[in-house]
């Protein structure tokens, strides 16, 4: 397959070395576009594709943005990452998107392959770019590196045998256990999330499940109670990560929300452990 036949991936950001995106030292690749619209989204500029309205172009003082034939052009070499463009965008998007094929991205991965154990592709919601993901993972596996998907779990990954063949592990958000609460929080119910957790857990394809704890907004006790019971039933060794809500980068609606106390996080951890999740951690 040559470059012309390859799928174009829309990449928001690449972090060459990360030790918080799965096992070991990993390259973290964030794809643009998400089907959730979480109340507490920490990077809302990853939600939508740019519609080329051009409003952010004059905001850039460094001439990194321009309009050519009605489309925003981004010059990464001139960009100083001040994010003034992102602050201007009213469409939950970013002009700083790189369109890239798996072969092109592999050139960046090959440069650091001796320093990483694998790559983690996140988002946005990376599984919305499933073909690009599969092409990239197929190539990455040939280097002997591991491949992780960081996902909101809303697409039926468990049914995608081709993708799973080249995916080592998934990291799945369990944002709320009750489907209606999940809908209020994200815009979608969570039946597919639960099915993914159940089926991918049976296939030993889960590295961790994560729940963000937001006091006064979510029924955290219910989600942790039900979620940990589900995990314990599938495999008590699956890592269950309880994440303290922090109001960095979120939209104004939630800025005033209380940050959970350490005592409350420990109370939730105790619930999960009592339910049999022996690998529960707080971050
Ligand atoms: S990033 Fe936002 S503001 Fe800039 S052109 Fe695209 S949609 Fe318009
Ligand atoms: S982040 Fe880059 S492209 Fe955006 S305004 Fe700043 S310099 Fe310009």
């Amino acid at each position: 397959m040559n470059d012309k036949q390859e799928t174009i991936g829309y990449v928001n950001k690449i972090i060459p070395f990360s030790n918080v995106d799965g096992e070991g030292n990993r390259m973290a690749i964030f794809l643009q576009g998400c089907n959730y619209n979480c109340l507490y989204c920490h990077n809302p500029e990853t939600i939508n594709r740019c519609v080329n309205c051009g409003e952010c172009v004059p905001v850039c003082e460094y001439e990194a943005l321009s309009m050519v034939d009605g489309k925003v052009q981004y010059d990464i070499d001139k960009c100083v990452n001040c994010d003034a463009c992102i602050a201007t965008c009213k469409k939950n998007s970013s002009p700083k998107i790189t369109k890239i094929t798996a072969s092109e991205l592999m050139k960046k991965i090959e440069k650091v392959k001796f320093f990483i154990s694998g790559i983690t592709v996140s988002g946005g919601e990376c599984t919305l770019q499933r073909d690009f993901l599969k092409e990239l993972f197929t190539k990455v596996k040939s280097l002997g590196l591991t491949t992780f998907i960081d996902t909101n779990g809303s697409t039926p990954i468990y049914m995608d045998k081709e993708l799973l063949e080249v995916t080592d592990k998934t990291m799945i958000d369990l944002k709320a256990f009750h489907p209606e609460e999940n809908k209020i929080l994200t815009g979608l119910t969570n039946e597919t999330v639960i099915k993914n957790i159940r089926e991918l857990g049976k296939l030993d394809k889960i590295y961790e499940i994560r729940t963000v704890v937001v006091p006064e907004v979510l029924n955290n006790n219910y989600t942790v109670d039900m979620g940990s019971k589900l995990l314990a039933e599938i495999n008590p060794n699956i890592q269950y990560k309880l994440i303290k809500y922090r109001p960095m980068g979120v939209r104004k609606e939630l800025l005033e929300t209380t940050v959970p106390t350490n005592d409350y996080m420990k109370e939730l951890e105790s619930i999960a452990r009592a339910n049999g999740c022996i690998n529960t951690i707080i971050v």
Side-chain angles (χ1 to χ4, degrees), residues 56 59-65 74 78-86 95-96:
C56 59
V59 172
C60 179
E61 292 177 15
Y62 302 90
E63 298 183 343
L65 301 176
Y74 169 56
K78 290 183 180 169
C79 178
V80 298
N81 287 312
C82 67
D83 285 349
C85 51
I86 289 171
K96 302 195 294 175

Side-chain angles (χ1 to χ4, degrees), residues 49-57 67 72 85 88-91 93-95:
R49 294 257 176 98
C50 170
V51 296
N52 295 296
C53 71
E55 283 179 27
C56 59
V57 173
M67 286 300 276
V72 176
C85 51
T88 300
C89 181
K90 300 182 192 81
K91 318 280 189 315
S93 187
S94 164

